[in-house]
Amino acid sequence: MKSYHITYKSTSPTAEFPLVKSVNYNETSVVIEDLEPWTEYSVTVEAENVAGRGPSSETVTVRTFAIGR
């Protein structure tokens, strides 16, 4: 195993393109910063090893908290 790639994108119709955050394989958590408040995001994860990236996980949809929480 080499790394994990977390792909996330706002589900808003005006969202531009997905962003990817890559982390070392031994990380057990990751913080995605600069998300918009009270916004829904779709998130997938892919693992990568010496043979390349594997298939994406199922998409998870989450909503950020409103400002002040």
Side-chain angles (χ1 to χ4, degrees):
M1 188 70 64
K2 287 174 53 178
S3 58
Y4 293 102
H5 305 282
I6 299 94
T7 302
Y8 58 100
K9 180 181 183 209
S10 168
T11 60
S12 165
T14 59
E16 292 185 18
F17 50 86
L19 299 170
V20 178
K21 181 164 184 144
S22 297
V23 295
N24 197 308
Y25 77 94
N26 60 356
E27 297 292 324
T28 58
S29 64
V30 63
V31 174
I32 299 173
E33 298 178 341
D34 299 323
L35 299 176
E36 293 295 321
W38 201 244
T39 301
E40 194 171 79
Y41 288 87
S42 61
V43 181
T44 59
V45 177
E46 295 174 311
E48 181 178 2
N49 61 23
V50 295
R53 287 188 185 190
S56 293
S57 66
E58 290 189 29
T59 300
V60 175
T61 303
V62 296
R63 182 178 295 277
T64 56
F65 290 119
I67 294 176
R69 288 207 73 196

